[in-house]
């Protein structure tokens, strides 16, 4: 296939620089050059549209695309769970997200199936099942269900929410099993969670020494550990153990943020899921008690974002959406734009997220040699960040040089 020139768009390249009116030439799945090209080939007229890099969501749960409690209690068939996962994958692409980091819930088969092009979806990096301490965040068995039966809820090659470890040796075995199943990084839960069954937000989980075992195993494979962490003590335990990233970070304080910055530990706040939990707990298939657990989290997470910015922590962007309604993934950019600026939200969702995912040489900015992951927006989302939230405004989505959505 010959070169394709995208002409007439206002190009926002993801670096934080102001938009520029520049033609973008795509060839062999990558950006060949910026500026007028003498090469003959197809022209795509993008006049009046805004081009951004393909968006990246650094915190997704494709495997939790059905009603949560019914899925965990065997009320939904594997076929329907699969259908819901693949529908979410397609909706993610349609919202302008060409790459995602799955932070728990899918097994390697989903990654492979999307990569083969058998279903529509973004490029997926996955941790496979989340690593949790016995009875900690991520365990959703019934009160009477023995821990050892929990893994029976896994559907090999499709979904595997979490694995339980009672000590460091069990954790070492479980993370090795996660890598065997295709994980490309690890995720541990080191505090209680909002969507929790047997814990509190104030709980810390795993010791520094235990977390360090996962860090050691990840380093042996040239990859890293990220952690689910809400309270400050749990965040600090994880940072001291050598993790590379913190998800949520709700109660992060100044001294811990300073330590994160010094050790180049990234933060991925997650506002969209908090909004959904506040307004539609039942629609996610969760008990009303979850709503009570989330009260106050949005305000504290907003403060943590400000603390992290002040300390110059690398801050990415993740939606953490769960349940059947995951089509408005861009809500996260809209929410972040209101707390920072639309440009800062976009950079977090492109350049910074690519760095966090270890893909900074491949995606995240519009520059020669990068993969041609591009989105054309109907309007200018830097002036009206509401545009990010509605998938209908992503009128054309290109992934590795191939148009995967075009509703111009």
């Amino acid at each position: 296939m010959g070169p394709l020139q995208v002409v007439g768009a206002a190009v926002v390249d993801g670096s934080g620089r102001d938009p520029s009116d520049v033609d973008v030439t795509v060839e062999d799945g990558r950006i060949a050059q910026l500026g007028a090209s003498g090469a003959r080939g197809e022209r795509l007229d993008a006049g009046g549209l805004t081009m951004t890099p393909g968006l990246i969501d650094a915190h997704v749960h494709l495997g939790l695309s059905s009603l949560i409690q019914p899925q965990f209690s065997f009320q939904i068939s594997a076929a329907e769970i699969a259908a819901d996962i693949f529908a979410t994958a397609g909706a993610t692409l349609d919202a302008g997200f060409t790459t995602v980091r799955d932070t728990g819930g899918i097994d390697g088969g989903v990654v492979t199936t999307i990569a083969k092009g058998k279903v529509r979806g973004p490029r997926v990096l996955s941790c496979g099942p989340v690593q949790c301490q016995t009875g900690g965040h991520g365990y959703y068995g019934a009160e009477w269900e023995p821990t050892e039966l929990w893994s029976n809820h896994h559907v090999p090659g499709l979904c595997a929410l979490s694995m339980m470890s009672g000590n460091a040796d069990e954790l070492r075995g479980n993370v090795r099993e996660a890598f065997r199943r295709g994980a490309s990084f690890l995720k541990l839960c080191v505090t209680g969670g909002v969507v929790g069954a047997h814990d509190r937000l104030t709980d810390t989980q795993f010791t520094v020494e235990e977390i360090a075992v996962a860090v050691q195993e990840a380093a042996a494979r040239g990859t890293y550990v990220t952690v689910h962490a809400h309270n400050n003590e749990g965040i600090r335990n994880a940072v001291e153990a050598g993790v590379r990233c913190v998800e949520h970070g709700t109660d992060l304080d100044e001294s811990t943020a300073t330590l994160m910055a010094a050790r180049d530990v990234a933060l991925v706040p997650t506002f969209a899921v908090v909004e959904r939990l506040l307004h539609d707990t039942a629609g996610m298939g969760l008990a009303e008690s979850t709503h009570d657990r989330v009260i106050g989290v949005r305000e504290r997470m907003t403060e943590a974002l400000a603390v992290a910015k002040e300390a110059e922590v690398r801050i990415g962007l993740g939606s953490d959406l769960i349940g059947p309604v995951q089509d408005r993934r861009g809500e996260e950019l809209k929410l972040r734009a209101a707390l920072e600026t639309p440009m800062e939200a976009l950079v977090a969702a492109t350049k910074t997220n690519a760095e966090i995912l270890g893909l900074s040489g491949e995606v995240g900015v519009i520059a020669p040699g990068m993969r041609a992951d591009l989105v054309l927006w109907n309007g200018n989302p830097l002036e009206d960040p509401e545009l990010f939230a509605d998938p209908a405004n992503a009128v054309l989505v290109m992934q590795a040089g191939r148009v995967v959505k075009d509703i111009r």
Side-chain angles (χ1 to χ4, degrees):
M1 186 175 164
L4 169 68
Q5 293 178 64
V6 186
V7 301
V11 176
V12 188
D13 68 6
S15 71
R17 285 191 291 266
D18 289 338
S20 60
D21 297 320
V22 63
D23 297 346
V24 178
T25 304
V26 173
E27 192 166 10
D28 296 329
R30 294 189 180 264
I31 297 166
Q33 71 177 84
L34 303 182
S37 170
R40 289 182 182 168
E42 190 182 346
R43 282 168 61 89
L44 191 157
D45 183 4
L49 304 177
T50 302
M51 179 190 291
T52 68
L55 303 179
I56 303 170
D57 191 333
H59 193 121
V60 309
H61 293 289
L62 299 180
L64 305 182
S65 294
S66 308
L67 291 167
I68 303 301
Q69 286 180 325
Q71 177 177 345
F72 292 161
S73 52
F74 296 114
Q75 295 173 42
I76 303 175
S77 72
E80 188 173 345
I81 291 168
D84 290 343
I85 289 171
F86 295 142
T88 292
T92 297
L93 208 52
D94 287 338
F97 289 84
T98 51
T99 301
V100 299
R101 183 178 63 160
D102 195 288
T103 50
I106 56 172
D107 231 349
V110 174
V111 178
T112 305
T113 301
I114 295 172
K116 286 180 176 177
K118 295 198 171 187
V119 295
R120 296 176 71 245
R123 187 179 295 103
V124 183
L125 281 67
S126 168
C127 70
V130 183
Q131 305 300 322
C132 309
Q133 79 172 31
T134 303
H137 182 64
Y139 178 69
Y140 295 98
E143 294 285 350
W144 50 263
E145 183 181 338
T147 300
E148 58 268 20
L149 295 184
W150 174 242
S151 59
N152 292 346
H153 293 260
H154 294 184
V155 182
L158 181 66
C159 54
L161 178 66
S162 55
M163 302 172 86
M164 300 296 135
S165 302
N167 56 50
D169 284 344
E170 288 181 10
L171 179 62
R172 193 182 296 278
N174 282 341
V175 303
R176 288 175 175 175
E177 173 66 10
F179 281 125
R180 184 198 69 76
R181 295 188 195 180
S184 55
F185 67 99
L186 297 175
K187 180 187 171 195
L188 272 62
C189 292
V190 301
T191 75
V194 173
V195 185
H198 307 278
D199 57 17
R200 299 161 301 175
L201 277 176
T202 51
D203 293 351
T204 62
Q205 297 173 2
F206 287 128
T207 64
V208 174
E209 293 74 21
E210 286 168 332
I211 301 166
V213 166
V215 170
Q216 183 185 34
E217 291 292 326
R221 290 162 183 80
T223 188
Y224 68 97
V225 175
T226 190
V227 292
H228 157 104
H230 285 283
N231 67 63
N232 191 69
E233 191 176 347
I235 297 169
R236 184 169 277 271
N237 285 346
V239 173
E240 289 180 350
V243 308
R244 305 302 307 150
C245 189
V246 171
E247 314 294 312
H248 315 302
T250 303
D251 291 316
L252 178 67
D253 73 8
E254 290 175 19
S255 65
T256 305
T258 301
L259 184 65
M260 285 176 67
R263 298 195 181 176
D264 196 21
V265 179
L267 173 68
V268 178
T270 53
F271 289 94
V273 69
V274 175
E275 289 294 311
R276 287 287 315 281
L277 286 166
L278 283 168
H279 297 115
D280 188 22
T281 313
M284 299 163 102
L286 290 165
E288 198 55 40
S289 59
T290 305
H291 177 272
D292 299 334
R293 292 171 73 112
V294 82
I295 292 170
V297 168
R298 177 177 53 191
E299 292 75 15
R300 301 196 323 268
M301 194 179 284
T302 299
E303 178 59 28
L305 174 65
V307 166
K309 282 192 74 170
E310 180 68 24
E312 299 185 350
V313 172
R314 188 194 308 271
I315 306 171
L317 177 143
S319 68
D320 193 20
L321 293 175
I322 56 174
V325 185
Q326 297 192 32
D327 57 328
R328 291 177 64 90
R329 203 168 289 286
E331 290 274 1
E332 188 69 29
L333 281 89
K334 183 187 88 171
L335 294 167
R336 279 285 289 278
L339 299 172
E340 304 178 78
T341 67
M343 180 66 89
E344 286 173 312
L346 177 67
V347 171
T350 52
K351 178 178 179 285
T352 306
N353 269 355
E355 292 167 356
I356 291 170
L357 271 59
L359 295 175
S360 56
E362 292 287 307
V363 298
V365 294
I366 299 172
M370 304 294 281
R371 290 185 187 271
D373 288 5
L374 307 169
V375 185
L376 292 174
W377 299 91
N378 183 26
N380 183 353
L382 297 183
E383 292 176 359
D384 181 10
E386 290 267 349
L387 295 174
F388 284 129
D390 186 350
N393 294 315
V395 293
L396 184 143
V397 180
M398 183 183 292
Q399 186 183 38
R402 197 167 63 87
V403 175
V404 292
K405 176 189 180 183
D406 187 356
I407 57 169
R408 288 174 299 156

